[in-house]
DNA sequence: CGTGCAATTGAAAGTACTCAAGCCACGTGG
DNA sequence: CCACGTGGCTTGAGTACTTTCAATTGCACG
């Protein structure tokens, strides 16, 4: 289950009643405080000391890097259940900003890591989370390194649709700018690619933030690189 | 310490005598068989079942994905000490190929994971490894998403030089094709970028595989995006 | 001293970017 | 209630950069 799915609140990776790590997780949750963010508000900035790590209760966030000249690259989007703000260093690698109004749990980093280390189950779970995230990051590396604009946008829509797992009317929680920054394109190129996908009958757009896949087969062909 | 450093045998992340996880690691090493590969030989292919994971004893390897049309994206390079071929799924995500003649240790995946799970220290270590790898993958995402060709090549050389940690005569273990596939460029663009870096006096090249940084400051400017 | 492969260079073509307008939905104020 | 402004989205024209295709050079090896 990917972050985009959780963005709609469809599932919870951490803190749900399903996993076997419940008791352990409640130990961690006991150490959490809760913070509310409005859309656009930033939670931390690249380079900050990182005494806390975070978990989304509701809403959606993005993590990104900013280059000297202001260009941005969003590393990932997160939704309900997702844990973020934790790395092998003690400072933040990215800037985190709310895409929508959010509620996040705040864990003291040291406590969090200590509790995780003490539970084989949690360790395993956290390791899986990072393996999956690495997997996703590498998929994006392939996309950024070797796919054209149309292919990137098609791939992105396909993933959003799959993650939302209902065939009708998928919602984009993020702006065109965020999509562009995620896909390594400009706003304009994202728009043009969407227009092209409409022109080819692969998708339709009910509004700027709502789309429907009309022809999954064609969309997949395009995502796979068909001209 | 990054993979490129280990490529020269400068350090060992796993299996060195330095870490505190020695006894645990020896338990794992006891389960290992050893395999020799010649340069160009492939160890596994994307989609293969993954009953084993691997660790380089000597030599250098690359892990890459191939798209339908033959384009490649190399996910990472690995050197002595590096562990690879392991993920959250039970099939391989990449193809692994020897860049030079190699010796690798082969671990049965299940045994490996069981032993790791049984040791807090090893779990911690493996988690750190994956966090670091995710960190590196995201750095590359920024590079691929937002940097131009010259900037990518400059960044790459700087990293190679830093990892080899001797200011003179750095060695490129990989071919131009591998560099191109790593940087999301074509061979030709890599060459032209190298030529441009020479022209600007940032580096010199003793041969196609050996370079020296003449002006680190300028190289860093270029890597940071100076025109 | 050829042969063959890797690396480099050149010219033409293509793709995404920049800059510049328009468009559209929505909220505000007259 | 409607005109107006704002911000996000879309479209267009020209430019810059990377790729593609095509030689050419350089180097290791027989």
């Amino acid at each position: 289950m990917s972050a985009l799915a959780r963005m709609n609140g469809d599932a919870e990776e951490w803190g749900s009643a399903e996993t076997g790590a419940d008791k352990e997780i409640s130990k961690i949750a006991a150490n959490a405080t809760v913070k509310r963010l409005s859309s656009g508000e930033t939670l931390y900035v690249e380079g900050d000391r990182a005494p806390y790590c975070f978990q989304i209760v509701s809403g959606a966030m993005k993590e990104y890097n900013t280059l000297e000249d202001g260009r941005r690259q969003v590393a990932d989007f997160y939704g309900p259940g997702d844990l973020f703000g934790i790395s092998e260093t003690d400072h933040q690698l990215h800037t985190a900003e709310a895409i929508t109004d959010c509620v996040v749990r705040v864990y003291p980093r040291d406590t969090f890591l200590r509790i995780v280390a003490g539970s084989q189950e949690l360790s395993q779970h956290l390791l899986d989370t990072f393996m999956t995230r690495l997997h996703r990051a590498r998929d994006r590396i392939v996309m950024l390194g070797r796919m054209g604009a149309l292919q990137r946008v098609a791939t992105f829509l396909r993933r959003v649709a799959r993650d939302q797992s209902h065939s009708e009317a998928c919602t984009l929680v993020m702006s065109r700018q965020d999509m562009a920054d995620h896909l390594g394109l400009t706003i304009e190129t994202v728009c043009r690619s969407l227009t092209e996908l409409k022109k080819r009958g692969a998708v339709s757009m009910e509004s700027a933030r709502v789309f429907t896949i009309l022809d999954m087969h064609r969309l997949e062909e395009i995502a796979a690189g068909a001209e």
Side-chain angles (χ1 to χ4, degrees), chain A:
Chain A
M1 185 66 63
S2 91
L4 286 171
R6 294 185 294 267
M7 240 179 269
N8 276 7
D10 295 344
E12 300 216 351
E13 184 182 6
W14 289 75
S16 91
E18 272 71 48
T19 88
D22 290 341
K23 325 171 287 299
E24 314 290 345
I25 284 173
S26 65
K27 270 196 258 174
I28 296 187
N31 287 287
T33 58
V34 167
K35 190 176 169 71
R36 276 157 214 286
L37 297 169
S38 342
S39 174
E41 203 171 335
T42 128
L43 183 54
Y44 50 82
V45 174
E46 183 179 356
D48 277 1
R49 282 273 143 193
Y52 304 109
C53 57
F54 306 90
Q55 184 186 25
I56 298 192
V57 174
S58 68
M61 302 209 49
K62 63 183 173 193
E63 248 191 347
Y64 63 88
N65 293 97
T66 308
L67 281 69
E68 294 72 10
D69 57 8
R71 284 175 299 178
R72 289 178 173 185
Q73 176 65 47
V74 352
D76 219 339
F77 297 111
Y78 298 110
D82 282 338
L83 180 75
F84 63 99
I86 192 164
S87 75
E88 81 282 9
T89 71
D90 60 353
H91 60 270
Q92 296 295 352
L93 272 24
H94 309 279
T95 298
E97 186 181 314
I99 292 178
T100 65
D101 292 348
C102 282
V103 178
V104 300
R105 272 198 279 274
V106 183
Y107 304 106
R109 176 189 148 100
D110 293 341
T111 309
F112 180 86
L113 286 178
R114 188 157 27 76
I115 293 177
V116 167
S119 157
Q120 200 183 110
E121 197 151 16
L122 281 182
S123 295
Q124 187 57 49
H125 193 91
L126 192 59
L127 182 58
D128 267 12
T129 300
F130 273 90
M131 283 184 176
T132 303
R133 228 165 257 190
L134 179 62
H135 183 166
R136 281 160 38 100
R138 287 188 168 177
D139 280 347
R140 202 147 52 257
I141 283 175
V142 172
M143 183 170 87
L144 296 172
R146 289 298 178 222
M147 291 182 180
L150 191 62
Q151 222 177 333
R152 294 187 201 184
V153 174
T155 303
F156 181 75
L157 293 187
R158 200 168 64 80
R159 184 160 63 223
V160 170
R162 178 167 43 69
D163 290 347
Q164 296 190 190
S165 66
H166 32 66
S167 38
E168 298 297 302
C170 302
T171 304
L172 297 166
V173 283
M174 71 294 288
S175 69
R176 290 289 184 275
Q177 185 65 62
D178 288 336
M179 280 177 63
D181 289 342
H182 184 62
L183 300 176
L185 299 169
T186 57
I187 276 193
E188 294 95 326
T189 302
V190 170
C191 279
R192 284 187 254 268
S193 301
L194 287 171
T195 303
E196 181 65 21
L197 290 174
K198 284 184 272 183
K199 216 177 292 181
R200 297 199 193 180
V203 303
S204 66
M205 301 214 55
E206 285 64 57
S207 78
R209 301 290 187 102
V210 180
F211 70 96
T212 307
I213 295 180
L214 298 177
D215 185 342
M216 178 57 94
H217 181 64
R218 182 163 311 177
L219 185 64
E220 281 174 345
E221 279 179 348
I222 294 171
E227 308 316 307

